[in-house]
Amino acid sequence: MADHAVAFPDVNRLRRLSYSGRQLFQGDQPSIEESSTAKSLKNASPDEHSEDGCKSFAGIVELEAALLEILELVRTVATSDSTILRFNVNKEREARVALETAFQQIEALKDQLYKENLALRDEVDRVSMFEEIVGTSQALQAVLSRVIKVAPTDSGVLITGETGTGKELIARAIHKRSRRSERAFVSVNCAALAPSLISSELFGHEKGAFTGATQRRPGRFELANAGTIFLDEVGELPADVQVALLRVLQEREFERVGGTVSIKVDVRVIAATNRNLEAAKANGTIRSDLFYRLNVFPIEVPPLRERKDDVLMLLEYFVHRYAKKVGKNFGKINKRTLELFRSYDWPGNIRELQNVVERSVIVSSDGVFGVDEAWLSRNAGQAPWRHPGSENTDGNSSPERQIIEAALAESRGRISGPKGAAAKLQIPPSTLESKLKKFKISKNYFKFGQGCALES
């Protein structure tokens, strides 16, 4: 703040002028007798009268000048104080605004940090079944075809299928191929949340909304704004949350728990369930209007027992994945293991297969991968499974068949190309394909290893 310098008049001079003023204006005070000054003026000669009058007039002028100086001093000081006051008020107002802005920025940074931490925690904690979609079966290709068609749109998708079939993987594939691929993909397992906390997790809450709500917290829908939210096990939502979810789907807005302000969001909703929602709709456990809002574009993921051709590819994938993780190297997969994997129905689907492989990698010795048959809970009375490669039209094995199978095993199921089975047998690829159909041999049976081989 700049210093305001004020020039004060000489104090002795002011005192002298003040005394002269009192002498000049004593006539104003009540008195019976004329003052000596007045008498002397009356009795004085004209020259003296004039001279004394001039002196008196000069004193008055000097006093007036001194009073003007005092008035100017008062005005200056008053103006200066007013300026200083306004300056302080403005500075205080600016400081208050700056402080409020700083608090707002801190709150925004806290919200952003919470969002980033939550998304990162979800990504780290998420147990991925596999990084890529593995399989070439017709049932899986039909699913991927529907994914390709719906991904570029903003339509809602309802993914159904048994537990462990990879519904979240399909949801992520839709997101990655959509226009929202650069924004957040937020996954919520509705069945894993306590009923009393689902609303808070999905829509957020205000400070003091309930016991333990010590600060305002955004929900998963806010985190997924402009992106995609995946609601796994959506059939487990309680009735009150279904109403709030229906509002989001219809009006694209919601309110935080304990809040009164509507929040607009632009979110693509992909839901999944292993329940029969048609039956749930009939018995009233899920609202019919919510069901129709979710079921815009249905995709059903087939169970692994309907994807037998993909089992060996999945086995190969997981063997190499977990072997690398524990620092092992398997050059062979034992033949009995292949037969077990092909014959088993996999009630737990891909998740069960993944767990069995991971467990077997841990206990298997370096070089040969094998699975304990006791880990596969086979159904009682199930007929022994025979791989198509072991069947023959006349029921007998032939030397030609054995030669073809050996060539396929050596080429890892490849037919054409310089390293293919046809080149090893020195026959055209079309001829080999015909022989495979004749002997009912599946080339996929031999596609199980990048460097792996059947144990003889």
Side-chain angles (χ1 to χ4, degrees):
M1 185 186 306
D3 293 334
H4 295 269
V6 179
F8 288 91
D10 181 64
V11 176
N12 293 328
R13 180 167 174 265
L14 288 177
R15 287 176 178 172
R16 186 174 66 255
L17 293 174
S18 175
Y19 175 77
S20 300
R22 285 199 303 272
Q23 295 296 322
L24 289 172
F25 292 103
Q26 279 179 354
D28 293 339
Q29 297 178 356
S31 177
I32 298 176
E33 296 182 356
E34 289 182 317
S35 65
S36 59
T37 305
K39 289 180 179 180
S40 61
L41 286 175
K42 286 182 179 181
N43 299 326
S45 62
D47 292 339
E48 291 179 352
H49 186 280
S50 176
E51 183 180 355
D52 289 339
C54 289
K55 289 180 180 180
S56 301
F57 180 76
I60 293 172
V61 171
E62 187 176 2
L63 177 60
E64 183 181 7
L67 291 174
L68 289 175
E69 289 183 22
I70 294 173
L71 291 174
E72 181 64 21
L73 171 63
V74 173
R75 186 190 65 78
T76 304
V77 172
T79 304
S80 175
D81 289 344
S82 176
T83 303
I84 294 172
L85 180 61
R86 287 197 301 271
F87 180 82
N88 290 337
V89 170
N90 290 337
K91 281 296 182 182
E92 183 179 354
R93 185 181 298 111
E94 291 175 3
R96 188 183 302 111
V97 171
L99 188 60
E100 292 176 354
T101 304
F103 276 124
Q104 292 174 359
Q105 291 176 348
I106 291 173
E107 288 296 326
L109 289 174
K110 285 172 62 179
D111 287 347
Q112 182 65 25
L113 182 62
Y114 170 75
K115 293 177 183 180
E116 292 176 356
N117 286 343
L118 186 60
L120 180 61
R121 187 168 64 250
D122 286 346
E123 193 66 23
V124 171
D125 293 343
R126 183 179 59 88
V127 181
S128 174
M129 288 181 293
F130 43 83
E131 292 85 2
E132 297 177 357
I133 298 177
V134 178
T136 59
S137 64
Q138 185 175 356
L140 181 61
Q141 293 304 313
V143 171
L144 297 182
S145 175
R146 295 179 68 82
V147 168
I148 293 172
K149 291 177 180 178
V150 75
T153 72
D154 271 342
S155 298
V157 181
L158 178 61
I159 305 173
T160 57
E162 297 178 7
T163 298
T165 52
K167 296 184 288 294
E168 182 172 349
L169 187 67
I170 298 300
R172 289 182 179 274
I174 294 173
H175 174 70
K176 288 179 180 178
R177 289 162 178 78
S178 72
R179 293 189 294 268
R180 301 171 181 261
S181 59
E182 299 299 323
R183 306 309 293 266
F185 178 91
V186 178
S187 177
V188 184
N189 189 334
C190 301
L193 299 175
S196 59
L197 297 177
I198 292 180
S199 293
S200 173
E201 285 292 329
L202 292 180
F203 309 116
H205 63 258
E206 297 290 347
K207 181 178 179 180
F210 50 85
T211 303
T214 56
Q215 62 181 2
R216 179 173 58 85
R217 175 167 292 181
R220 302 299 181 92
F221 271 92
E222 286 183 75
L223 301 181
N225 192 28
T228 303
I229 189 169
F230 174 59
L231 303 177
D232 198 8
E233 305 302 343
V234 70
E236 306 299 327
L237 290 176
D240 57 332
V241 181
Q242 291 184 30
V243 175
L245 177 58
L246 181 63
R247 181 187 176 191
V248 175
L249 295 174
Q250 290 178 336
E251 303 175 15
R252 300 293 178 181
E253 67 178 20
F254 62 90
E255 294 175 2
R256 296 193 189 102
V257 177
T260 57
V261 178
S262 296
I263 300 173
K264 293 283 186 180
V265 288
D266 174 24
V267 178
R268 183 180 193 175
V269 178
I270 301 178
T273 182
N274 59 3
R275 295 178 57 186
N276 185 341
L277 292 189
E278 290 282 0
K281 176 170 65 72
N283 61 32
T285 56
I286 188 169
R287 296 173 59 99
S288 58
D289 48 2
L290 177 60
F291 170 76
Y292 292 122
R293 280 287 180 179
L294 293 172
N295 195 32
V296 177
F297 193 92
I299 296 179
E300 183 176 2
V301 183
L304 194 52
R305 61 180 173 273
E306 296 178 9
R307 297 172 50 192
K308 290 292 187 180
D309 292 341
D310 295 335
V311 170
L312 297 182
M313 296 181 67
L314 289 166
L315 170 61
E316 169 198 351
Y317 175 83
F318 286 123
V319 167
H320 283 280
R321 174 180 172 180
Y322 290 115
K324 182 178 180 181
K325 191 175 181 179
V326 300
K328 291 186 177 181
N329 182 28
F330 296 105
K332 295 180 180 180
I333 297 179
N334 109 25
K335 188 173 183 178
R336 179 58 181 162
T337 296
L338 297 174
E339 294 176 351
L340 286 173
F341 272 61
R342 286 282 297 178
S343 62
Y344 188 55
D345 275 343
W346 301 106
N349 295 294
I350 298 173
R351 185 176 293 118
E352 182 184 8
L353 186 149
Q354 175 186 356
N355 293 340
V356 169
V357 171
E358 184 175 7
R359 188 185 312 145
S360 301
V361 166
I362 295 172
V363 301
S364 295
S365 302
D366 245 352
V368 179
F369 175 82
V371 173
D372 187 347
E373 187 173 356
W375 289 344
L376 305 179
S377 55
R378 307 176 68 88
N379 295 328
Q382 181 178 349
W385 174 85
R386 297 184 64 194
H387 187 272
S390 64
E391 296 176 359
N392 199 354
T393 52
D394 57 5
N396 298 319
S397 178
S398 66
E400 183 181 12
R401 179 190 186 88
Q402 294 177 3
I403 293 173
I404 292 174
E405 288 181 343
L408 287 171
E410 188 176 353
S411 65
R412 312 291 185 266
R414 183 179 298 176
I415 300 297
S416 57
K419 296 183 179 181
K424 296 180 182 298
L425 297 173
Q426 297 182 352
I427 60 175
S430 58
T431 302
L432 180 56
E433 292 281 2
S434 299
K435 291 184 178 292
L436 294 181
K437 291 180 180 179
K438 174 185 175 182
F439 292 112
K440 297 182 180 180
I441 299 174
S442 173
K443 61 184 178 182
N444 290 331
Y445 176 73
F446 304 94
K447 294 180 179 179
F448 54 85
Q450 298 167 348
C452 296
L454 279 172
E455 183 185 27
S456 58

